[in-house]
Amino acid sequence: MAKLSYREAVAAAMAQEMRLDDRVIFLGEDVGAAGGVFKATLGLFDEFGPTRVRDTPISEQAILGATMGAAMTGLRPIAEIMFSDFFGVCWDTVVNEIAKARYMTNGDHETPLVIRSANGGGARFGAQHSQSIENWAMAVPGIKVVAPSNAYDVKGLLAASIRDPDPVLFFEQKAMYGNKCEVPEGELVIPLGEAATPREGTDVTIVALANMVPKSLKAAEILEKEHGILCEVVDPRTLVPLDTKTILASVEKTGRLVTVEENPRLCGWGAEIASIVGEELFWNLDAPITRITTPHIPLPSVDVLEDLVIPSVERIVDTISKMD
Amino acid sequence: MATAKAKSSSAGKIKIDKSQKLELYRIMSECRALQQRAYDLFMQNLVKGTTHLGQGQEAIAAAFGFAMREDDYTFNTYRGHNHNYVRGVSMTSILGELMGRDIGQLRGKGGSMHITDSSKGAMGSYAIIGAHMPIAAGAAWSAQYRGTEQVACCFFGDGTTNIGTFHEALNFAKIWELPVVYICENNQYMEYTPIGDVTAVEHPAADRASAYGLEPILVDGNDVEVMYETAMAALEKARKGGGPTLIEALTYRHHGHSRADPGKYRPDDEVKEWKENRDPLYGYRAKLLGEGIDEAELAKIDANTEKMIDEATEAAKNSPPPPAEIAYTDVFADGGAEWRN
């Protein structure tokens, strides 16, 4: 198996699906000839040409509106919103149009589409190019939300998202684009709604997403070595649909839940998981549920401040080692 | 600044025969009856929620509905009952939806502002101003990509010309030369405010056309034959790969913005002028009589329209409310609303 970077896995998944299905088309700013500002779509323009890989103006509302219109009329478009922060200028199209179209029309409209976007911090880009907004998306009925933590999952989950009949918001954590792991060269599809458990343990369940997964795995290593605490790390991979079975089974075993979230504190995705576990497994808990999040602040730019506020390996180790 | 000049016709070369004239009259007449009945039903407290009616604006919908190919796409706003009706959505489905009955087009899940039937090319009624303009561009892009020669027609009000999507969509449509026709129904008021009070140019759509490489087209939206000629020219151009068209059709709404609005902000003599002298339906009736069409033929259409609307009203009234379980269906493609396992 070859090693692929997280960014190469994006292009690999799209190429895989575009070869299989000529209804799959792709649009966004600088995505074609330039291969994307993060170079995540390099090679697609050369292979599929300008009718299937289309550069757009800086018009996010037009990009997402056109994506929806194409999806409603038989195509399977993929759009790129360069930075997830830019959903602020086209959120209407996502939440009022794309998400509600099927329900409002009593099942008439079909909107099989994927919106990819670079999400999250760690690149020192400041408050308007670093947000983690997966919790905004999770709050809207009618869209699926995917946030992979490694190149293998990027390829398999993006392919599944493209094939999915529902609209999918696909969040790529931009600090992870260079991370490599082994990814099969052949067809890979990972069903949406199945959590992964990259580390098993008996003492504490850590539920982490995207870039918080490698940090949690590193923290789990340290916690075992230095504190003798065996952590199980669960990566939901998709927030909608949410694999609560895997999470609940893990917490039932460990009796302790910690969520590690990059989003700001209030209404982060972990709050929903904490609520589910609190309602359904309260009597199995041996300790209060603990959420490790970015504080409720916009992200600062400079490295010393950004690293201070986004959950770190040290903060995860410190928090868990002090749990009852 | 260059200002759009009103044209009596954008094409002017199309011969409209008698049977076509009668069809245009019939469609307008049915639209008027549908909207008038919707108004009457909400005065009787039988309509749930809100309604945005299109009395006075029927010529635009009727002309396009008549001119469009069966597989063309219509995108319209919440003031969209006429646009859906002319594509084949039934009076019963529309009135049923307004009344929140199970027989309604969307079984009460959408309401007055969201009538849709994509099987008839009625691709939705959009209630966020301007949101549908790029969506229509996307449908046109899809038609262009699939090579089907379908055209997307997107109807919107004068107020829409001041929101960002109007400008994004027109630029987008032009750079990709998409088969889309944008029709601004300039009824002269954005909700409660005269459009001229809040717009930098005199003609809110036509005066912006040149910014997007488009020809300024300003037509009398209450003259159904002018609208038909304009529609045919724009549709043919789009179908042949000639790209998008932006049309500003001057019209007037007979009622207020929505059911909550009596429209008192408009001068009495202005309303009187448009209702008495520039009504698209009655004006056309007089024109056809002047051309020698027998009044009995028009009366026959009128009588049939009355019968249709009465039957539709009864069918809608006799339908029960929708069953409770449909509140939880069709959030996702599997038919349900489940977000967890």
Side-chain angles (χ1 to χ4, degrees), chain B residues 68 71-74 140 143 149-153 179-181 234-235 238-239:
Chain B
M68 287 168 79
D71 60 348
D72 286 339
Y73 299 121
T74 293
E149 298 189 343
Q150 291 164 287
V151 179
C153 293
V180 58
V181 182
L235 288 164
R239 234 183 280 293

Side-chain angles (χ1 to χ4, degrees), chain A residues 257-272:
Chain A
L257 171 65
V258 175
T259 64
V260 186
E261 306 161 51
E262 195 177 323
N263 51 221
R265 180 83 185 176
L266 299 189
C267 304
W269 56 262
E272 188 58 48

Side-chain angles (χ1 to χ4, degrees), chain A residues 60-121:
Chain A
E60 280 84 7
Q61 295 181 101
I63 293 168
L64 293 193
T67 300
M68 178 176 169
M72 287 162 64
T73 52
L75 301 185
R76 293 195 161 244
I78 305 166
E80 177 176 305
I81 295 297
M82 190 184 290
F83 285 81
S84 65
D85 313 73
F86 305 168
F87 274 109
V89 298
C90 53
W91 202 229
D92 171 65
T93 315
V94 177
V95 307
N96 282 319
E97 311 303 337
I98 290 169
K100 294 179 172 64
R102 182 183 294 277
Y103 184 86
M104 239 168 33
T105 62
N106 191 36
D108 183 315
H109 281 328
E110 306 275 335
T111 49
L113 60 87
V114 178
I115 307 170
R116 299 177 33 247
S117 194
N119 188 51

